[in-house]
Amino acid sequence: MVVRLSRYRLLALLCGVLAALTLTTPALATPSALGTVRSDAAAGWLARQLVDGERFESIFDGVAYPDQGLTLDAVFAFASAGVADTFGAQAMAWVSRPDIRDGYIGDGTTEAYAGATAKLALAVTVRGGDPTDVGGVDLVARLRSLQTPAGRFSDRSAWGDYSNAFSQSFAILALSRTAQGVPSAAGQWLAGTRCPDGGYPLLPAQPTCVSDVDATAMTVQALRVAGRSVDAAAGLRWLVSVQRADGSFVNGGGTPNANSTGLAAQALRDGGRPLAWLRARVFLAGLQVGCAAAAANRGAVRLDGGAFDPATAPRATAQAVLGLTGTGYAQLSAASAAPGDPVLRCR
């Protein structure tokens, strides 16, 4: 008797095989002796790297500077993994301080940065807060004031306009979770930046449109919530077309890495591409530091296949967590997150 499997049954079987592969990567690469992928342990490791349990810092020429952007990436990772809620609350309290907040988004008068304002507004919403009152600042109103007639969200600063695909995408994602929703012109402008191959560039209006993995991963998530599913689908097809055989992604001709793969994986699952997501997840699982490593490093995600680097691991881990869980920015919520910072339990 010939048994004919429906394409849905075949899809389920393939998903099962890929999921099994995720659980059987080599012992040195997997996060525990049992071989299981632990996004919660990755987020737990990330939480323990926060300075004073509240922030990340960047060191330049021996001086420590606040890194609000990476701190917010950690907040998203905690929500995605459903852990480290205490750390997420402390991080948001720190980044909402007037001096720290304004050093990131600008004072609203002489400087106002669209991407930073949008990213902070989204993080506040993910944490269950009110983005219209962050230390007395209405982030939503400020963000809307930065939208140009063409629909682009641009910086207002004497230093120049640094807005890009991330700025526009975070603005759309943040506004999608407000009562007024996304201005139609914002999605239309972003869709109009698409390259001929279907991907999206980091910077618009360049002499040659060059699709960027990270920018496309952000853009397709924003286009979906802006109601532009056809434009998002083009970006998703491009992402699938440039995925490497091992499931990874490379941005700008570099090395396959957790940052780009994490963002792409998040977009792929959010956009309904489960097989491509699972392949990316297998790659990310292979970068997670396991029980053969020093206890302090277990659970972290390495940037690439090289040695563990504590300088690059926090950002790599934050973005890898998003890819491992596959929860899109539009759905992130810390509402049910547990308070602690899980660790890998090794035999």
Side-chain angles (χ1 to χ4, degrees):
M1 180 177 67
V2 177
V3 178
R4 291 183 173 85
L5 297 177
S6 72
R7 64 189 184 96
Y8 300 104
R9 177 59 177 159
L10 284 170
L11 178 63
L13 288 172
L14 285 170
C15 287
V17 170
L18 284 167
L21 286 174
T22 304
L23 301 180
T24 56
T25 46
L28 288 178
T30 53
S32 75
L34 301 179
T36 55
V37 178
R38 290 283 303 277
S39 58
D40 60 338
W45 177 87
L46 187 64
R48 291 187 292 276
Q49 310 316 302
L50 289 165
V51 177
D52 296 333
E54 65 177 11
R55 68 186 185 277
F56 278 104
E57 297 176 342
S58 296
I59 308 298
F60 180 74
D61 201 19
V63 179
Y65 297 92
D67 193 334
Q68 296 94 326
L70 180 54
T71 301
L72 292 178
D73 287 336
V75 169
F76 293 137
F78 301 155
S80 184
V83 298
D85 189 58
T86 300
F87 294 89
Q90 293 170 174
M92 288 307 300
W94 173 77
V95 81
S96 299
R97 280 173 33 190
D99 58 329
I100 301 300
R101 178 200 63 206
D102 292 354
Y104 181 53
I105 69 173
D107 60 12
T109 303
T110 59
E111 295 178 275
Y113 299 104
T117 302
K119 190 172 183 178
L120 179 56
L122 179 60
V124 169
T125 302
V126 168
R127 290 286 313 163
D130 180 4
T132 67
D133 184 8
V134 179
V137 173
D138 185 338
L139 297 178
V140 176
R142 183 179 295 185
L143 181 58
R144 288 183 177 276
S145 76
L146 297 175
Q147 187 180 14
T148 68
R152 179 178 181 174
F153 289 89
S154 297
D155 299 336
R156 184 172 66 241
S157 168
W159 300 102
D161 181 5
Y162 299 98
S163 61
N164 54 33
F166 275 75
S167 308
Q168 191 77 10
S169 298
F170 271 125
I172 290 172
L173 289 162
L175 293 176
S176 74
R177 300 177 67 157
T178 66
Q180 291 177 285
V182 181
S184 59
Q188 182 176 1
W189 183 88
L190 186 58
T193 66
R194 190 168 81 200
C195 296
D197 60 7
Y200 290 85
L202 178 62
L203 298 173
Q206 298 299 302
T208 301
C209 190
V210 178
S211 295
D212 180 278
V213 169
D214 298 24
T216 301
M218 290 296 303
T219 296
V220 297
Q221 294 187 64
L223 289 172
R224 280 170 47 77
V225 300
R228 304 191 68 95
S229 57
V230 173
D231 298 302
L236 288 165
R237 285 194 296 272
W238 180 81
L239 283 175
V240 172
S241 75
V242 298
Q243 187 174 25
R244 294 165 67 95
D246 61 359
S248 68
F249 286 84
V250 175
N251 210 20
T255 302
N257 63 84
N259 296 41
S260 295
T261 304
L263 289 176
Q266 179 192 31
L268 289 167
R269 190 186 185 203
D270 180 68
R273 303 298 192 274
L275 293 181
W277 168 63
L278 284 168
R279 291 175 59 213
R281 193 172 184 267
V282 169
F283 175 78
L284 292 171
L287 296 181
Q288 191 166 26
V289 178
C291 291
N297 299 335
R298 294 172 187 167
V301 177
R302 293 173 292 140
L303 174 63
D304 51 35
F308 175 80
D309 183 351
T312 60
R315 195 176 306 277
T317 301
Q319 294 182 331
V321 168
L322 298 177
L324 288 169
T325 69
T327 304
Y329 280 112
Q331 290 77 43
L332 279 182
S333 172
S336 60
D341 52 320
V343 299
L344 287 174
R345 300 297 181 185
C346 299
R347 291 177 179 174

